[in-house]
Amino acid sequence: MMSNMTNPTMISDSHAHTQEPALKMEGVSIYYGSTPAIREVYLDIPPHQITAFIGPSGCGKSTVLRCFNRTNDLIPGAQVKGNVFFHGVNLYSKKIDPVEVRRRIGMVFQKPNPFPKSIYENIAFGARINGYQGNMDQLVENSLRKAAIWDEVKDKLKESGLSLSGGQQQRLCIARAIAIQPEVILMDEPCSALDPISTLRIEELMQELKAQYTIVIVTHNMQQASRVSDKTAFFNAEATEQGGKLGYLVEYNDTVNIFTNPKQEYTRDYVSGRFG
Amino acid sequence: MKSHPSPLARSQDAQMWQPKRNLSKWSEQLVKYIFAAFALISVATTLGIVFTLIFETFEFFREVPIFRFLTETQWTPLFTNAKFGIWVLVSATFMTSVIALFVALPVGLLAAICLSEYASPRVRQWLKPTLEILAGVPTVVYGYFALLFITPILQTFIPGLKTFNGLSAGLVMGIAILPFVASLSEDAIYAVPQSLRQGSYALGTTKRETITGVVLPAALSGIVASFVLAVARAVGETMIVTIAAGSNPTLTFDPRVPVQTMTAFIVQVSLGDTPATSLAFKTIFAVGMMLFLMTFVLNIFSFWFVRRFQEKYE
């Protein structure tokens, strides 16, 4: 690992106190314009575990996920109320630079989105921009190895990232996220555009990665949530008077409990496949 | 009218469904040929132009050796002691085009980035059509704008600037082709998928880093295509240089003195009373051929470049 990183940051280091939650939401509500989309979410994300967000389409689980690295800021009109803490620091405080937040909390998207650059440059881009001073070749190799794609691409690092298959592209995007050495990786339905075999590879990869990273994954696929996650948050949406949908957190617990012994009736109906 | 019985099995209420397509075989064919004929018109026109150019150019070179055409340093085809040094005209075209590109490429690209990435949807909605209006101004207006407005202003601080000069013509030509660069580059930049920008932001990059590191490289083929189009337009632009740069063929790169571009020469001869069979008249085809070759090579390059660097997203 690269220990010689110089990283002037206001956010404290994670490894000192692993018992504390890595991320914490306190009364987070999200609005698009004046329309509320998410109602008061309270949630603790434990470090070095995989937390899954499940729920029916349109319940806002991706929107909640995007609060963790402030990518909601990029959506015109989106507004977040409440507090999101990363190791005790409020990410929505005025002193915090969202660029810095995203550098510490990486993200993998629903559709693989490699840059139209070489495989090597896809990995090196983020590191170079963030002023990485170490050996770039080594960083690229390490990142690709960790994302379990090195053996498939080591002989064609100069080829375009777009030349890879969908599953490979998604692992390239994971490698790209790993390369800037974040502490948390957010995954927004990372397997929804992939075939079952590629999906399995990504799921295995997540198990390997959780030793080093805190992972939060949004998924449509309940089996996936039960297979990979340690904790599960179930979101649902209710119709509002204006005809929109208002998402809220129904139940949050260890994955085993959510799937075998849910406390809420909605959760029971959802995980047993009665709606959603 | 009863349609032909179909060999396929019919359901019980077949008589309810009787499409009137007795003539459809004919009409489908006819439509195909009509469209083919229209498509052929453009192909035939292009071929006709090329063949005329080649034929007349060949006639010209039967009287003037190509060696003289490429090596003489004067261009005086209308004089008794005629000289045919094409570089005199090429140099003027080159100089005015380079000046125009120095204006159009940077300003056009920056305007495109501003429109696509920084302008709010409201501003963009107004600014882009406004910019495209510039492209609709007749070039003759630009020509007199250069001659009667820009040149006098430039003369106040550039000593030795003649009434007709390459500088003023080039600058105004740059403004005239700017909308093409801005509009086409903006299309290319705007077409870069939003998901790439998000992917870049998620790596902890600022807006500027995302634009220079991801968006512009991804739009490169479209941007270069717009640049090549701008060059081709600058080389082929006629009215502005004819009006503002003069009609004085001189082998020079001094932007302060009158010069004559290739297009301006063609205008001069076409407007004069040169007999259509004379050698002087044939020179305009030779010059036209030279122009055609230059823009043709540019287009080939652009085609190759776009094919080579265009990224295909799903």
Side-chain angles (χ1 to χ4, degrees), chain B residues 160-188:
Chain B
L161 190 75
K162 301 282 190 288
T163 308
F164 297 101
N165 61 81
L167 179 64
S168 171
L171 290 178
V172 172
M173 188 156 81
I175 297 168
I177 58 178
L178 192 154
F180 295 96
V181 179
S183 184
L184 287 173
S185 296
E186 201 266 351
D187 289 342

PDB file of all heavy atoms in Angstrom, chain B residues 160-188:
ATOM      1  N   GLY B 160       1.035  52.107 -41.196  1.00  0.00           N
ATOM      2  CA  GLY B 160       1.322  51.468 -42.478  1.00  0.00           C
ATOM      3  C   GLY B 160       0.246  50.515 -42.931  1.00  0.00           C
ATOM      4  O   GLY B 160       0.438  49.773 -43.889  1.00  0.00           O
ATOM      5  N   LEU B 161      -0.891  50.497 -42.224  1.00  0.00           N
ATOM      6  CA  LEU B 161      -1.971  49.599 -42.629  1.00  0.00           C
ATOM      7  C   LEU B 161      -2.714  50.219 -43.800  1.00  0.00           C
ATOM      8  O   LEU B 161      -3.265  51.310 -43.703  1.00  0.00           O
ATOM      9  CB  LEU B 161      -2.928  49.366 -41.455  1.00  0.00           C
ATOM     10  CG  LEU B 161      -3.968  48.263 -41.666  1.00  0.00           C
ATOM     11  CD1 LEU B 161      -3.330  46.894 -41.559  1.00  0.00           C
ATOM     12  CD2 LEU B 161      -5.115  48.401 -40.686  1.00  0.00           C
ATOM     13  N   LYS B 162      -2.726  49.500 -44.916  1.00  0.00           N
ATOM     14  CA  LYS B 162      -3.379  50.017 -46.117  1.00  0.00           C
ATOM     15  C   LYS B 162      -4.901  49.851 -46.018  1.00  0.00           C
ATOM     16  O   LYS B 162      -5.404  49.122 -45.163  1.00  0.00           O
ATOM     17  CB  LYS B 162      -2.872  49.262 -47.345  1.00  0.00           C
ATOM     18  CG  LYS B 162      -1.355  49.375 -47.546  1.00  0.00           C
ATOM     19  CD  LYS B 162      -0.972  50.721 -48.147  1.00  0.00           C
ATOM     20  CE  LYS B 162       0.489  50.738 -48.560  1.00  0.00           C
ATOM     21  NZ  LYS B 162       1.404  50.787 -47.396  1.00  0.00           N
ATOM     22  N   THR B 163      -5.602  50.561 -46.917  1.00  0.00           N
ATOM     23  CA  THR B 163      -7.067  50.466 -46.906  1.00  0.00           C
ATOM     24  C   THR B 163      -7.531  49.032 -47.143  1.00  0.00           C
ATOM     25  O   THR B 163      -8.448  48.542 -46.508  1.00  0.00           O
ATOM     26  CB  THR B 163      -7.658  51.372 -48.002  1.00  0.00           C
ATOM     27  OG1 THR B 163      -7.104  52.675 -47.832  1.00  0.00           O
ATOM     28  CG2 THR B 163      -9.165  51.436 -47.908  1.00  0.00           C
ATOM     29  N   PHE B 164      -6.876  48.388 -48.123  1.00  0.00           N
ATOM     30  CA  PHE B 164      -7.117  46.959 -48.324  1.00  0.00           C
ATOM     31  C   PHE B 164      -5.968  46.193 -47.688  1.00  0.00           C
ATOM     32  O   PHE B 164      -4.804  46.489 -47.958  1.00  0.00           O
ATOM     33  CB  PHE B 164      -7.192  46.621 -49.815  1.00  0.00           C
ATOM     34  CG  PHE B 164      -8.342  47.298 -50.508  1.00  0.00           C
ATOM     35  CD1 PHE B 164      -8.144  48.439 -51.266  1.00  0.00           C
ATOM     36  CD2 PHE B 164      -9.624  46.781 -50.391  1.00  0.00           C
ATOM     37  CE1 PHE B 164      -9.199  49.065 -51.893  1.00  0.00           C
ATOM     38  CE2 PHE B 164     -10.689  47.400 -51.025  1.00  0.00           C
ATOM     39  CZ  PHE B 164     -10.478  48.539 -51.775  1.00  0.00           C
ATOM     40  N   ASN B 165      -6.292  45.226 -46.829  1.00  0.00           N
ATOM     41  CA  ASN B 165      -5.212  44.490 -46.175  1.00  0.00           C
ATOM     42  C   ASN B 165      -5.705  43.122 -45.726  1.00  0.00           C
ATOM     43  O   ASN B 165      -6.911  42.886 -45.543  1.00  0.00           O
ATOM     44  CB  ASN B 165      -4.693  45.284 -44.973  1.00  0.00           C
ATOM     45  CG  ASN B 165      -5.779  45.502 -43.950  1.00  0.00           C
ATOM     46  OD1 ASN B 165      -6.064  44.613 -43.158  1.00  0.00           O
ATOM     47  ND2 ASN B 165      -6.417  46.669 -43.989  1.00  0.00           N
ATOM     48  N   GLY B 166      -4.760  42.212 -45.521  1.00  0.00           N
ATOM     49  CA  GLY B 166      -5.102  40.848 -45.132  1.00  0.00           C
ATOM     50  C   GLY B 166      -5.546  40.740 -43.687  1.00  0.00           C
ATOM     51  O   GLY B 166      -6.351  39.876 -43.328  1.00  0.00           O
ATOM     52  N   LEU B 167      -5.037  41.632 -42.839  1.00  0.00           N
ATOM     53  CA  LEU B 167      -5.323  41.542 -41.411  1.00  0.00           C
ATOM     54  C   LEU B 167      -6.810  41.721 -41.109  1.00  0.00           C
ATOM     55  O   LEU B 167      -7.445  40.876 -40.482  1.00  0.00           O
ATOM     56  CB  LEU B 167      -4.503  42.595 -40.659  1.00  0.00           C
ATOM     57  CG  LEU B 167      -4.713  42.642 -39.146  1.00  0.00           C
ATOM     58  CD1 LEU B 167      -4.249  41.347 -38.510  1.00  0.00           C
ATOM     59  CD2 LEU B 167      -3.998  43.830 -38.527  1.00  0.00           C
ATOM     60  N   SER B 168      -7.349  42.829 -41.583  1.00  0.00           N
ATOM     61  CA  SER B 168      -8.751  43.141 -41.314  1.00  0.00           C
ATOM     62  C   SER B 168      -9.658  42.062 -41.901  1.00  0.00           C
ATOM     63  O   SER B 168     -10.596  41.585 -41.242  1.00  0.00           O
ATOM     64  CB  SER B 168      -9.078  44.513 -41.904  1.00  0.00           C
ATOM     65  OG  SER B 168     -10.445  44.750 -41.840  1.00  0.00           O
ATOM     66  N   ALA B 169      -9.362  41.651 -43.152  1.00  0.00           N
ATOM     67  CA  ALA B 169     -10.171  40.608 -43.789  1.00  0.00           C
ATOM     68  C   ALA B 169     -10.115  39.318 -42.977  1.00  0.00           C
ATOM     69  O   ALA B 169     -11.137  38.664 -42.748  1.00  0.00           O
ATOM     70  CB  ALA B 169      -9.669  40.364 -45.210  1.00  0.00           C
ATOM     71  N   GLY B 170      -8.899  38.963 -42.518  1.00  0.00           N
ATOM     72  CA  GLY B 170      -8.739  37.728 -41.744  1.00  0.00           C
ATOM     73  C   GLY B 170      -9.488  37.779 -40.431  1.00  0.00           C
ATOM     74  O   GLY B 170     -10.184  36.826 -40.064  1.00  0.00           O
ATOM     75  N   LEU B 171      -9.373  38.889 -39.721  1.00  0.00           N
ATOM     76  CA  LEU B 171     -10.042  39.018 -38.421  1.00  0.00           C
ATOM     77  C   LEU B 171     -11.558  38.870 -38.573  1.00  0.00           C
ATOM     78  O   LEU B 171     -12.208  38.128 -37.840  1.00  0.00           O
ATOM     79  CB  LEU B 171      -9.719  40.381 -37.788  1.00  0.00           C
ATOM     80  CG  LEU B 171      -8.280  40.588 -37.303  1.00  0.00           C
ATOM     81  CD1 LEU B 171      -8.114  42.004 -36.761  1.00  0.00           C
ATOM     82  CD2 LEU B 171      -7.931  39.572 -36.223  1.00  0.00           C
ATOM     83  N   VAL B 172     -12.116  39.593 -39.547  1.00  0.00           N
ATOM     84  CA  VAL B 172     -13.564  39.552 -39.722  1.00  0.00           C
ATOM     85  C   VAL B 172     -14.003  38.168 -40.225  1.00  0.00           C
ATOM     86  O   VAL B 172     -15.050  37.653 -39.818  1.00  0.00           O
ATOM     87  CB  VAL B 172     -14.019  40.673 -40.667  1.00  0.00           C
ATOM     88  CG1 VAL B 172     -15.490  40.515 -41.022  1.00  0.00           C
ATOM     89  CG2 VAL B 172     -13.793  42.020 -40.006  1.00  0.00           C
ATOM     90  N   MET B 173     -13.183  37.562 -41.069  1.00  0.00           N
ATOM     91  CA  MET B 173     -13.504  36.204 -41.520  1.00  0.00           C
ATOM     92  C   MET B 173     -13.526  35.259 -40.315  1.00  0.00           C
ATOM     93  O   MET B 173     -14.354  34.339 -40.251  1.00  0.00           O
ATOM     94  CB  MET B 173     -12.455  35.751 -42.539  1.00  0.00           C
ATOM     95  CG  MET B 173     -12.775  34.462 -43.216  1.00  0.00           C
ATOM     96  SD  MET B 173     -11.936  34.358 -44.791  1.00  0.00           S
ATOM     97  CE  MET B 173     -10.311  33.850 -44.276  1.00  0.00           C
ATOM     98  N   GLY B 174     -12.637  35.498 -39.357  1.00  0.00           N
ATOM     99  CA  GLY B 174     -12.643  34.691 -38.128  1.00  0.00           C
ATOM    100  C   GLY B 174     -13.970  34.805 -37.403  1.00  0.00           C
ATOM    101  O   GLY B 174     -14.537  33.809 -36.949  1.00  0.00           O
ATOM    102  N   ILE B 175     -14.495  36.031 -37.326  1.00  0.00           N
ATOM    103  CA  ILE B 175     -15.801  36.221 -36.676  1.00  0.00           C
ATOM    104  C   ILE B 175     -16.890  35.505 -37.470  1.00  0.00           C
ATOM    105  O   ILE B 175     -17.800  34.903 -36.914  1.00  0.00           O
ATOM    106  CB  ILE B 175     -16.118  37.728 -36.541  1.00  0.00           C
ATOM    107  CG1 ILE B 175     -15.079  38.389 -35.634  1.00  0.00           C
ATOM    108  CG2 ILE B 175     -17.514  37.944 -35.986  1.00  0.00           C
ATOM    109  CD1 ILE B 175     -15.127  39.898 -35.656  1.00  0.00           C
ATOM    110  N   ALA B 176     -16.745  35.538 -38.799  1.00  0.00           N
ATOM    111  CA  ALA B 176     -17.782  34.929 -39.641  1.00  0.00           C
ATOM    112  C   ALA B 176     -17.820  33.411 -39.476  1.00  0.00           C
ATOM    113  O   ALA B 176     -18.904  32.815 -39.542  1.00  0.00           O
ATOM    114  CB  ALA B 176     -17.543  35.291 -41.112  1.00  0.00           C
ATOM    115  N   ILE B 177     -16.678  32.766 -39.282  1.00  0.00           N
ATOM    116  CA  ILE B 177     -16.702  31.300 -39.170  1.00  0.00           C
ATOM    117  C   ILE B 177     -16.774  30.835 -37.723  1.00  0.00           C
ATOM    118  O   ILE B 177     -16.953  29.648 -37.459  1.00  0.00           O
ATOM    119  CB  ILE B 177     -15.496  30.631 -39.885  1.00  0.00           C
ATOM    120  CG1 ILE B 177     -14.185  31.127 -39.331  1.00  0.00           C
ATOM    121  CG2 ILE B 177     -15.578  30.813 -41.374  1.00  0.00           C
ATOM    122  CD1 ILE B 177     -12.978  30.465 -39.982  1.00  0.00           C
ATOM    123  N   LEU B 178     -16.652  31.769 -36.798  1.00  0.00           N
ATOM    124  CA  LEU B 178     -16.737  31.416 -35.375  1.00  0.00           C
ATOM    125  C   LEU B 178     -17.996  30.621 -35.009  1.00  0.00           C
ATOM    126  O   LEU B 178     -17.907  29.622 -34.293  1.00  0.00           O
ATOM    127  CB  LEU B 178     -16.653  32.709 -34.569  1.00  0.00           C
ATOM    128  CG  LEU B 178     -16.434  32.677 -33.076  1.00  0.00           C
ATOM    129  CD1 LEU B 178     -15.776  33.977 -32.669  1.00  0.00           C
ATOM    130  CD2 LEU B 178     -17.675  32.475 -32.288  1.00  0.00           C
ATOM    131  N   PRO B 179     -19.193  31.028 -35.492  1.00  0.00           N
ATOM    132  CA  PRO B 179     -20.394  30.284 -35.104  1.00  0.00           C
ATOM    133  C   PRO B 179     -20.347  28.807 -35.498  1.00  0.00           C
ATOM    134  O   PRO B 179     -20.883  27.971 -34.788  1.00  0.00           O
ATOM    135  CB  PRO B 179     -21.528  30.986 -35.848  1.00  0.00           C
ATOM    136  CG  PRO B 179     -20.989  32.271 -36.293  1.00  0.00           C
ATOM    137  CD  PRO B 179     -19.522  32.184 -36.340  1.00  0.00           C
ATOM    138  N   PHE B 180     -19.692  28.505 -36.636  1.00  0.00           N
ATOM    139  CA  PHE B 180     -19.627  27.106 -37.048  1.00  0.00           C
ATOM    140  C   PHE B 180     -18.801  26.299 -36.052  1.00  0.00           C
ATOM    141  O   PHE B 180     -19.176  25.206 -35.649  1.00  0.00           O
ATOM    142  CB  PHE B 180     -19.012  26.993 -38.450  1.00  0.00           C
ATOM    143  CG  PHE B 180     -19.857  27.630 -39.505  1.00  0.00           C
ATOM    144  CD1 PHE B 180     -19.605  28.928 -39.914  1.00  0.00           C
ATOM    145  CD2 PHE B 180     -20.926  26.946 -40.066  1.00  0.00           C
ATOM    146  CE1 PHE B 180     -20.405  29.530 -40.869  1.00  0.00           C
ATOM    147  CE2 PHE B 180     -21.726  27.544 -41.015  1.00  0.00           C
ATOM    148  CZ  PHE B 180     -21.466  28.836 -41.422  1.00  0.00           C
ATOM    149  N   VAL B 181     -17.657  26.875 -35.662  1.00  0.00           N
ATOM    150  CA  VAL B 181     -16.803  26.188 -34.689  1.00  0.00           C
ATOM    151  C   VAL B 181     -17.557  26.023 -33.374  1.00  0.00           C
ATOM    152  O   VAL B 181     -17.636  24.934 -32.809  1.00  0.00           O
ATOM    153  CB  VAL B 181     -15.499  26.981 -34.456  1.00  0.00           C
ATOM    154  CG1 VAL B 181     -14.637  26.281 -33.432  1.00  0.00           C
ATOM    155  CG2 VAL B 181     -14.751  27.165 -35.750  1.00  0.00           C
ATOM    156  N   ALA B 182     -18.151  27.114 -32.901  1.00  0.00           N
ATOM    157  CA  ALA B 182     -18.821  27.065 -31.601  1.00  0.00           C
ATOM    158  C   ALA B 182     -19.986  26.094 -31.628  1.00  0.00           C
ATOM    159  O   ALA B 182     -20.133  25.260 -30.733  1.00  0.00           O
ATOM    160  CB  ALA B 182     -19.306  28.469 -31.226  1.00  0.00           C
ATOM    161  N   SER B 183     -20.796  26.165 -32.667  1.00  0.00           N
ATOM    162  CA  SER B 183     -21.998  25.350 -32.701  1.00  0.00           C
ATOM    163  C   SER B 183     -21.670  23.866 -32.838  1.00  0.00           C
ATOM    164  O   SER B 183     -22.210  23.030 -32.114  1.00  0.00           O
ATOM    165  CB  SER B 183     -22.878  25.814 -33.865  1.00  0.00           C
ATOM    166  OG  SER B 183     -24.088  25.110 -33.861  1.00  0.00           O
ATOM    167  N   LEU B 184     -20.756  23.532 -33.743  1.00  0.00           N
ATOM    168  CA  LEU B 184     -20.427  22.113 -33.940  1.00  0.00           C
ATOM    169  C   LEU B 184     -19.658  21.544 -32.752  1.00  0.00           C
ATOM    170  O   LEU B 184     -19.897  20.413 -32.337  1.00  0.00           O
ATOM    171  CB  LEU B 184     -19.620  21.922 -35.231  1.00  0.00           C
ATOM    172  CG  LEU B 184     -20.435  22.086 -36.509  1.00  0.00           C
ATOM    173  CD1 LEU B 184     -19.532  22.049 -37.725  1.00  0.00           C
ATOM    174  CD2 LEU B 184     -21.485  20.977 -36.605  1.00  0.00           C
ATOM    175  N   SER B 185     -18.727  22.327 -32.192  1.00  0.00           N
ATOM    176  CA  SER B 185     -18.005  21.857 -31.007  1.00  0.00           C
ATOM    177  C   SER B 185     -18.967  21.676 -29.851  1.00  0.00           C
ATOM    178  O   SER B 185     -18.862  20.720 -29.085  1.00  0.00           O
ATOM    179  CB  SER B 185     -16.918  22.854 -30.595  1.00  0.00           C
ATOM    180  OG  SER B 185     -15.957  22.952 -31.595  1.00  0.00           O
ATOM    181  N   GLU B 186     -19.899  22.609 -29.733  1.00  0.00           N
ATOM    182  CA  GLU B 186     -20.857  22.513 -28.627  1.00  0.00           C
ATOM    183  C   GLU B 186     -21.689  21.248 -28.760  1.00  0.00           C
ATOM    184  O   GLU B 186     -21.933  20.556 -27.773  1.00  0.00           O
ATOM    185  CB  GLU B 186     -21.752  23.754 -28.621  1.00  0.00           C
ATOM    186  CG  GLU B 186     -22.420  24.019 -27.293  1.00  0.00           C
ATOM    187  CD  GLU B 186     -23.797  23.424 -27.212  1.00  0.00           C
ATOM    188  OE1 GLU B 186     -24.328  22.948 -28.237  1.00  0.00           O
ATOM    189  OE2 GLU B 186     -24.357  23.418 -26.109  1.00  0.00           O
ATOM    190  N   ASP B 187     -22.088  20.925 -29.988  1.00  0.00           N
ATOM    191  CA  ASP B 187     -22.830  19.670 -30.191  1.00  0.00           C
ATOM    192  C   ASP B 187     -22.005  18.482 -29.718  1.00  0.00           C
ATOM    193  O   ASP B 187     -22.508  17.581 -29.051  1.00  0.00           O
ATOM    194  CB  ASP B 187     -23.176  19.489 -31.677  1.00  0.00           C
ATOM    195  CG  ASP B 187     -24.255  20.465 -32.128  1.00  0.00           C
ATOM    196  OD1 ASP B 187     -24.949  21.013 -31.252  1.00  0.00           O
ATOM    197  OD2 ASP B 187     -24.399  20.669 -33.340  1.00  0.00           O
ATOM    198  N   ALA B 188     -20.716  18.490 -30.094  1.00  0.00           N
ATOM    199  CA  ALA B 188     -19.849  17.362 -29.733  1.00  0.00           C
ATOM    200  C   ALA B 188     -19.669  17.279 -28.219  1.00  0.00           C
ATOM    201  O   ALA B 188     -19.712  16.190 -27.634  1.00  0.00           O
ATOM    202  CB  ALA B 188     -18.490  17.508 -30.422  1.00  0.00           C
TER     203      ALA B 188
END
